[in-house]
Amino acid sequence: MATLGIDLGGTKIALGVLEGGRLIQRGRITTPREGAEAVLQAMIAAANEALAEAGAPVTAVGVGTPGPIDYERGVVVFAPNIARFRDVPLRARLEEALQRPVALENDANAAALAEHHLGAARGAASSFFVTVSTGIGGGLVADGRVWRGAYGQAGEFGHLTVLPGGPVCGCGNAGCLEAVASGRALARDASYAYAEPLDTPELFARWRAGEAKAARIVEAAADYLGQALADAQKLWDPEVVVVGGGVALGGGEVWLERVRRAFERHAAGWRTAPLLPARLGEDAGVIGAALAARALAPEGP
Amino acid sequence: MATLGIDLGGTKIALGVLEGGRLIQRGRITTPREGAEAVLQAMIAAANEALAEAGAPVTAVGVGTPGPIDYERGVVVFAPNIARFRDVPLRARLEEALQRPVALENDANAAALAEHHLGAARGAASSFFVTVSTGIGGGLVADGRVWRGAYGQAGEFGHLTVLPGGPVCGCGNAGCLEAVASGRALARDASYAYAEPLDTPELFARWRAGEAKAARIVEAAADYLGQALADAQKLWDPEVVVVGGGVALGGGEVWLERVRRAFERHAAGWRTAPLLPARLGEDAGVIGAALAARALAPEGP
């Protein structure tokens, strides 16, 4: 059985056909900037092409999308970073156009599912996936399935309050993890401290070169991430924690070790799950979307 | 079908026979102070008495205990507040003495189970229970069952870091919710601020009388609790939140409303679960232990 996974992002739409544990086909297009209808048409065209060229019968389609989803109605409430993408009945539109059952899943949840079944968390009974990139997201997987929460909000790890009274976050709260440890927060703090525009790769380069100011910024963010991971351990207690995303990749093993030390310090009296780097990289979104579709296929999950 | 619930506490051991949704018998003894063997003997005697006097056949026994449990081996790793209670093979000892299957459950988890099935969270698909008393504990229930986590640590809500660099907690971490918002923390802060020993009831009395210093202390603690509840909402996303325990009871509706406002402020961009006062009071522990035992009974849960 093969399923098609679609990862809808702000700059690109990635597609892949998953059979067993392997992507047997991949595709990628640029996300149109003309609003929801253009995005839908581009997705449908790319998906039809992928279905036609897939070397195996594709029984179902899964889509990972950023932002909140109304799972019951199959509607994307809104997608941050995609212009005019609000209240889009994505499931119904795709089911009609592709003539197959369609599953929607939050993109961080989809990546969590992928790392759980086919990536770093393989074999664990439960796992917590964190992606640290422009923003910070997360996903909880237990008993093989994503735990979405009662209101579809579970895994909104980037919005845990780690510094009460800290920088105001896009969500409206102050001191969110995302507001002190995401790529955007790092770039904000670096640009302020150096009084010139500085992006995350340049900040990491200066940190590696041993600059004290860069180290203060990078390490403070790693410490807050460790603190929030300790919160997740005490509250939900996953068997393993997987960390992915551009900032994690940029920080590498030295950064991850710093996160690990903060994690263990804040979880002083408790056991901490192994902290593992993500394995599937950019494929996680597509693979996870394809895995989400398996639950819909006639043969079951 | 009836089951016996036992709630092992630092000062008392409460017992109750649960049939359907009702306690048909109750008992209570003082917790012996002479160590694990004395506690065990007292529990067995009280349980045998309860079993003999129960008006219905009792098929299984559940015990709620404070502190960490090795669920696989049925061993209480240690019980805070009970002298010399370490590595006690409680399940095996009770099964032998009572001739019935025995289930162990963390006491906060047991109370969470009780409020979920028979208390304030009745009818919800998932619920998060928080008890604010001398310490702060929690329990997660979904699909009718306690989520214990991979290492039996789930629901350790009192140890989320809410104030990095704040007061050092008994667990070794700094700025835990418990270290700024529990009954012990309130008494510590009140005694310091007033330069005389002050307990929680007296602090609440001064708060109600309109004393500014008392209000500062009580309200700051309520705000931290709301902040941590917002973390739980974003990470695990329960359908309802139930708040119980002595401090919650002492604070009453005015205190809970203050917690609710902080909860909503910190969960700015998200939906918040209804925040409900616990309904079962001191019975929650016994009822939850008896509910945990139902899973063992021949007729199933």
Side-chain angles (χ1 to χ4, degrees):
Chain A
M1 178 187 71
T3 55
L4 171 64
I6 306 177
D7 183 17
L8 173 60
T11 56
K12 58 165 180 51
I13 299 170
L15 300 94
V17 176
L18 185 76
E19 194 178 38
R22 219 167 49 84
L23 284 178
I24 56 169
Q25 193 196 308
R26 289 158 205 262
R28 167 182 295 217
I29 58 170
T30 300
T31 308
R33 309 206 155 273
E34 297 80 26
E37 193 53 39
V39 171
L40 262 166
Q41 292 304 335
M43 275 177 94
I44 289 167
N48 270 323
E49 195 180 326
L51 292 171
E53 291 174 6
V58 174
T59 52
V61 179
V63 190
T65 74
I69 296 168
D70 181 333
Y71 289 103
E72 212 154 298
R73 292 165 53 228
V75 168
V76 178
V77 181
F78 74 95
N81 310 322
I82 307 183
R84 283 161 287 145
F85 206 90
R86 281 191 176 271
D87 291 315
V88 178
L90 194 58
R91 188 173 65 203
R93 288 293 303 272
L94 291 181
E95 285 188 340
E96 196 197 337
L98 305 176
Q99 292 293 306
R100 282 165 178 85
V102 171
L104 303 188
E105 191 57 83
N106 169 274
D107 56 0
N109 287 352
L113 199 60
E115 291 289 348
H116 184 90
H117 286 290
L118 297 169
R122 210 168 171 156
S126 60
S127 69
F128 180 53
F129 170 76
V130 176
T131 172
V132 187
S133 92
T134 312
I136 296 182
L140 285 59
V141 183
D143 300 324
R145 290 177 312 155
V146 167
W147 170 259
R148 289 172 180 165
Y151 305 103
Q153 307 172 138
E156 283 290 0
F157 181 65
H159 299 281
L160 265 60
T161 302
V162 294
L163 181 62
V168 173
C169 182
C171 75
N173 183 31
C176 284
L177 176 63
E178 183 163 294
V180 299
S182 65
R184 274 186 69 210
L186 286 172
R188 174 201 63 203
D189 290 352
S191 302
Y192 180 84
Y194 283 98
E196 57 169 324
L198 218 71
D199 62 9
T200 319
E202 175 60 24
L203 172 67
F204 276 127
R206 294 187 186 198
W207 166 54
R208 281 183 220 290
E211 284 190 24
K213 230 160 32 174
R216 264 326 252 282
I217 295 169
V218 171
E219 291 169 5
D223 289 352
Y224 283 120
L225 179 58
Q227 175 188 324
L229 287 173
D231 288 350
Q233 189 76 60
K234 295 169 196 172
L235 191 66
W236 193 63
D237 197 27
E239 188 176 327
V240 304
V241 174
V242 178
V243 184
V247 169
L249 217 60
E253 185 47 45
V254 177
W255 175 85
L256 194 63
E257 185 53 34
R258 175 97 196 187
V259 174
R260 199 176 276 129
R261 284 206 306 274
F263 178 31
E264 286 164 3
R265 190 170 66 250
H266 284 284
W270 281 268
R271 284 187 64 179
T272 48
L275 198 64
L276 308 171
R279 277 216 204 125
L280 302 175
E282 289 213 334
D283 284 341
V286 163
I287 293 175
L291 285 173
R294 283 197 184 164
L296 302 176
E299 295 96 308
Chain B
M1 176 186 73
T3 55
L4 172 65
I6 306 177
D7 183 16
L8 173 59
T11 55
K12 58 167 179 50
I13 301 170
L15 300 94
V17 175
L18 185 76
E19 194 178 36
R22 218 166 48 85
L23 284 178
I24 56 169
Q25 193 197 308
R26 291 157 203 262
R28 167 182 293 217
I29 57 171
T30 301
T31 308
R33 309 207 154 271
E34 297 79 25
E37 193 54 39
V39 171
L40 262 166
Q41 291 305 334
M43 277 177 92
I44 290 167
N48 269 323
E49 195 179 327
L51 292 171
E53 292 174 6
V58 174
T59 52
V61 178
V63 189
T65 74
I69 295 168
D70 181 334
Y71 289 103
E72 212 155 299
R73 293 164 54 229
V75 168
V76 177
V77 180
F78 76 92
N81 309 324
I82 305 183
R84 282 161 287 145
F85 207 89
R86 280 191 176 271
D87 290 315
V88 178
L90 193 58
R91 188 172 65 202
R93 289 293 303 274
L94 290 182
E95 285 189 339
E96 197 197 335
L98 305 177
Q99 292 294 305
R100 281 165 178 84
V102 170
L104 303 188
E105 192 55 84
N106 169 274
D107 55 359
N109 287 351
L113 199 60
E115 290 289 348
H116 184 89
H117 286 289
L118 298 169
R122 209 167 172 159
S126 59
S127 68
F128 180 51
F129 170 77
V130 176
T131 171
V132 187
S133 82
T134 313
I136 296 182
L140 285 60
V141 181
D143 300 324
R145 290 177 312 156
V146 167
W147 170 260
R148 289 172 179 164
Y151 306 105
Q153 306 173 141
E156 283 291 359
F157 181 66
H159 300 281
L160 265 60
T161 302
V162 293
L163 181 62
V168 173
C169 182
C171 75
N173 183 32
C176 285
L177 175 64
E178 183 164 295
V180 298
S182 65
R184 274 187 69 211
L186 286 173
R188 174 202 63 203
D189 290 352
S191 301
Y192 180 83
Y194 284 98
E196 58 169 323
L198 218 69
D199 62 9
T200 318
E202 175 60 23
L203 172 66
F204 276 125
R206 293 186 186 199
W207 166 55
R208 282 185 219 288
E211 286 191 23
K213 226 156 41 170
R216 267 322 254 281
I217 295 170
V218 170
E219 290 168 5
D223 289 351
Y224 283 120
L225 178 58
Q227 175 188 322
L229 286 174
D231 288 349
Q233 189 76 60
K234 295 169 196 172
L235 191 67
W236 192 63
D237 197 27
E239 188 176 328
V240 303
V241 173
V242 179
V243 183
V247 169
L249 217 59
E253 185 47 45
V254 178
W255 175 86
L256 194 64
E257 185 52 34
R258 174 98 196 187
V259 173
R260 198 177 278 128
R261 284 206 306 272
F263 177 32
E264 285 164 5
R265 190 171 64 249
H266 285 283
W270 281 267
R271 283 188 63 180
T272 48
L275 199 64
L276 309 171
R279 276 218 205 124
L280 302 175
E282 290 213 332
D283 284 342
V286 162
I287 292 174
L291 285 172
R294 283 196 184 166
L296 302 175
E299 298 95 305

